[in-house]
Amino acid sequence: MAIKKEKEETGEEEIKKGKESKEPVLTDLPGIGPAVSAKLEAAGIYDLMSLAVMTPVSLGDAAGVSAAVARKAIQASREMLQLGFVDGAEYAKKRENIHNITTGSKAFDDLLGGRGLESRAITEAFGAFGSGKTQVGLTLAVNVQLPLEKGGANGKCVFIDTEGTFRPVRVKQIAEQIGANPEKVLKNIMVARAFNSDHQMLLLDKVSEMIREGEPIKLMVIDSLTAHFRAEFAGRGQLADRQQKLNRYLHDLMKLAETHNIAVYVTNQVMANPAQMFGDPTTAIGGHIVGHASTYRVYLRRGKKGSRVAKLIDSPNLPDNETIYYITEAGVVDEA
Ligand code: GTP
Ligand code: MG
């Protein structure tokens, strides 16, 4: 069922804020009252995950509590987050609350396992200029707002724009084509322009903060993941530093996706690979670091007669495969 055919109002119901009630907070921990929790927040520690990875000494310093209290709190947070091993059945249960976001094309959704983008995962799209990376991101930013039965997650989107490619007009156009209220759709997309890689990294904390305040964010788009890193660490001798920083960023991204059950879509450029003599001589920026951190990697390119090709690469649970889709006024669709 193509989404563009649905003409009824989809963005009508306001996406409400609401604290994620099940999620434990800092003050649920032994020895952490409101005063200590405030101190921790001042030190940038907002959630259990940030606390769980601390040492008793660093927590003691940050919160002004004894090492014994700190140790107990860390232990408790680790237990609450179940940071140890879990059996396979338990693991499967944890994955039950995964949600999906349709790309707008059934064929593209199928490529990603049947239901489009997946929460708790990073999906990376790489490809040449004009291959459709941004268009896919904009379409997802609209579709995440659809109700569950229409392939959405009834949530908001955070769009981190590093290149100034976010186009409100285009978003409104896509929204209109699927029968949603364009103004409302636009209001549910929080856009931030990242001016350099440090700023890009800092914005993740902002996202955590918004979620803590109850914003129902279900999708994060980072367009582009690598451009700043690539520009800032251009020299050959800087490659190791770049990769290390990029690695840390991806790690933080994954943590955010896991902790808050968010789907993450990142775009990545390609560079010419002169060593490759056959096929498409392009390689994704960031190489193995980005490849290993992404749960799904999709290579996008232009196809024949105005079509687009998406090719899944190195997926942990899906066969490598490719499919044809189109980009039209309605965003990503099955048929032009
Ligand atoms: P870079 O960011 O430059 O690396 O490229 P990208 O991969 O992000 O490309 P992008 O998603 O911006 O794709 C741009 C292409 O999408 C254009 O060349 C058009 O072919 C197509 N496109 C964008 N808007 C429309 C539209 O309204 N209608 C149609 N039919 N195609 C569109
Ligand atoms: Mg782009």
Side-chain angles (χ1 to χ4, degrees), residues 11-32:
E12 211 38 76
E13 273 208 21
E14 194 124 333
I15 297 170
K16 300 239 165 45
K17 279 192 181 188
K19 297 260 180 209
E20 287 171 54
S21 53
K22 299 170 278 149
E23 208 157 293
V25 293
L26 288 177
T27 45
D28 291 336
L29 298 169
I32 310 281

Side-chain angles (χ1 to χ4, degrees), residues 152-264:
N154 199 24
K156 296 190 182 183
C157 171
V158 165
F159 199 108
I160 297 180
D161 181 4
T162 67
E163 307 181 298
T165 51
F166 183 79
R167 291 280 174 279
V169 174
R170 183 72 180 116
V171 169
K172 288 211 266 189
Q173 191 182 31
I174 296 171
E176 231 158 58
Q177 293 289 323
I178 66 164
N181 179 323
E183 293 301 331
K184 281 187 180 162
V185 165
L186 210 49
K187 269 192 99 67
N188 286 328
I189 304 174
M190 268 86 78
V191 189
R193 180 79 201 268
F195 292 101
N196 56 40
S197 64
D198 284 322
H199 187 204
Q200 190 177 333
M201 293 176 92
L202 207 67
L203 284 170
L204 291 192
D205 293 340
K206 274 272 165 231
V207 174
S208 297
E209 211 176 299
M210 285 194 284
I211 294 168
R212 243 186 25 259
E213 284 164 1
E215 290 288 4
I217 294 162
K218 300 290 179 194
L219 169 70
M220 201 154 119
V221 174
I222 301 163
D223 187 22
S224 116
L225 169 75
T226 44
H228 282 317
F229 291 91
R230 186 187 191 187
E232 289 163 32
F233 299 86
R236 230 185 145 59
Q238 291 175 293
L239 194 63
D241 286 344
R242 181 189 84 184
Q243 291 301 79
Q244 195 182 20
K245 200 169 175 189
L246 195 53
N247 194 24
R248 182 144 43 92
Y249 183 63
L250 282 157
H251 184 88
D252 289 351
L253 259 183
M254 195 62 214
K255 195 168 98 179
L256 201 74
E258 290 257 2
T259 332
H260 302 294
N261 198 19
I262 293 175
V264 177

Side-chain angles (χ1 to χ4, degrees), residues 126-138 163 165 170 173-174 223-224 267-270 300 302 308 327-331:
F126 68 101
F129 304 114
S131 59
K133 305 179 293 289
T134 298
Q135 296 301 315
V136 172
L138 293 173
E163 307 181 298
T165 51
R170 183 72 180 116
Q173 191 182 31
I174 296 171
D223 187 22
S224 116
T267 70
N268 194 3
Q269 274 84 3
V270 290
L300 303 183
R302 288 173 187 271
R308 309 266 165 177
I327 294 174
T328 68
E329 265 189 28

